[in-house]
Amino acid sequence: MVAFMLSQENLPYAISLSLVLLFGLLESLSLVVGTSLVSLLQSPEQNETPSFNPELQQESYTQAHINPSRPLLRFASWLCIHRLPVLIWFSLALSSFAIAGLAVNLVSLGLLMGLQPQYTSLPVALLVMILSCHFLGEFIADRLSTTISNVVSIEDLNGCIAKIGFARAQQGFPGAAIVVDQHRQEHQIFVEPITVGTEFVEGTSVVLVNRRGRVWQALPVEADRLAKVS
C-alpha cells in the first residue's frame, strides 16, 4: 500500500490527501488550545467583534485594483467558493481530487495490472473535484445554513453590522459575512449590495437592511448613516 501511495503516478493525490490530513491535525490541535484554525487564517481586523452601534465608524480597507471577469465570478459561484469557509472548501476540493485519482489507479491496477499515467488520471480527478465542489459543496453549505441559533430570530438581524469575510460580494453574487447578534453569538450569513454596481470586499463593515431568501441585502456603514441623516 505504501508503494502504491508513493508511486509517481499517485504522487499528486498522495500530496493532496496529506494536506487534508494536515489541515485536520492542525484544526484539532488549535481547538485544544482554545482557538480555531479558521480564525487564525483571518487577519486581525477580521477577528475583531463587530459592534451593534449603528454609529460605528466603517473600518478602512484596501480597495482591490483588479476585478475578476464575470465568467470567473460565475464559475467561482458555481463551485460554491463564496458559500463555504475557505478551510472547508479546500478540504473538500483536495480530498475529492485525491480520492478520485487514487480510485482510478486502484481500478486500473486491479483490471489492467498497472497504474495509469498522470495525463490520464489527472483530468478525471479534476472533473470529479469540480463536480464535488458544486454538488457536495452546495449540500454542505445548505446544512451549515441551518445552524443559525434559535435564540434569536433571523429577522432580528435586520439593522445589525456584519463584516464581509472571504471573497467579494456583488449583487447576484453574494459573499459570506459574519454578524454578531444582541446575545453576542456569531452567525454566518450571505450578503450582497442593495444597489447594482456596488462591491463589498473582504473586511468591509455593512448594515443588513433587507433579506431575500437566504441572502441579506446590505449598505456600507457610511452610506447607511447618510441615508438616515437625509
Side-chain angles (χ1 to χ4, degrees):
M1 179 59 70
V2 175
F4 173 79
M5 293 292 296
L6 298 181
S7 62
Q8 180 65 32
E9 292 82 358
N10 285 326
L11 189 58
Y13 317 121
I15 294 175
S16 299
L17 195 59
S18 299
L19 288 175
V20 175
L21 296 176
L22 180 61
F23 287 160
L25 178 61
L26 291 177
E27 178 69 9
S28 300
L29 291 176
S30 63
L31 290 176
V32 169
V33 299
T35 186
S36 173
L37 181 60
V38 175
S39 63
L40 293 178
L41 291 176
Q42 296 176 331
S43 62
E45 291 78 7
Q46 287 179 282
N47 288 328
E48 295 177 359
T49 302
S51 172
F52 279 90
N53 185 355
E55 300 300 322
L56 177 70
Q57 294 281 343
Q58 182 178 2
E59 299 180 7
S60 59
Y61 57 87
T62 302
Q63 188 66 260
H65 295 289
I66 301 177
N67 291 325
S69 63
R70 187 160 293 272
L72 287 179
L73 278 176
R74 293 182 185 276
F75 185 63
S77 176
W78 191 82
L79 290 177
C80 294
I81 292 178
H82 66 292
R83 296 190 58 194
L84 291 173
V86 59
L87 191 62
I88 294 180
W89 189 88
F90 273 112
S91 298
L92 173 62
L94 290 174
S95 58
S96 57
F97 173 79
I99 292 173
L102 293 173
V104 168
N105 280 327
L106 189 61
V107 172
S108 176
L109 185 63
L111 297 180
L112 304 177
M113 304 302 294
L115 303 179
Q116 292 296 313
Q118 291 183 10
Y119 64 79
T120 300
S121 60
L122 278 175
V124 177
L126 287 173
L127 178 61
V128 172
M129 181 189 73
I130 291 173
L131 295 176
S132 296
C133 288
H134 175 64
F135 293 106
L136 288 181
E138 197 172 52
F139 173 76
I140 295 173
D142 289 340
R143 293 296 298 269
L144 287 177
S145 66
T146 62
T147 61
I148 300 236
S149 174
N150 292 326
V151 175
V152 59
S153 171
I154 186 66
E155 298 297 339
D156 292 337
L157 297 178
N158 191 7
C160 294
I161 305 294
K163 183 173 287 187
I164 303 298
F166 174 71
R168 297 178 176 88
Q170 297 179 358
Q171 192 172 74
F173 298 94
I178 297 295
V179 60
V180 179
D181 62 32
Q182 60 265 37
H183 301 287
R184 315 307 295 172
Q185 292 183 320
E186 289 189 355
H187 305 276
Q188 184 176 46
I189 59 175
F190 300 104
V191 174
E192 67 178 9
I194 197 170
T195 56
V196 179
T198 303
E199 180 181 76
F200 298 151
V201 299
E202 182 178 351
T204 304
S205 295
V206 298
V207 179
L208 307 180
V209 296
N210 183 39
R211 186 171 69 91
R212 301 179 63 181
R214 290 180 298 178
V215 178
W216 279 94
Q217 293 186 320
L219 286 171
V221 172
E222 293 294 335
D224 178 72
R225 183 186 305 173
L226 292 175
K228 290 181 178 180
V229 171
S230 60

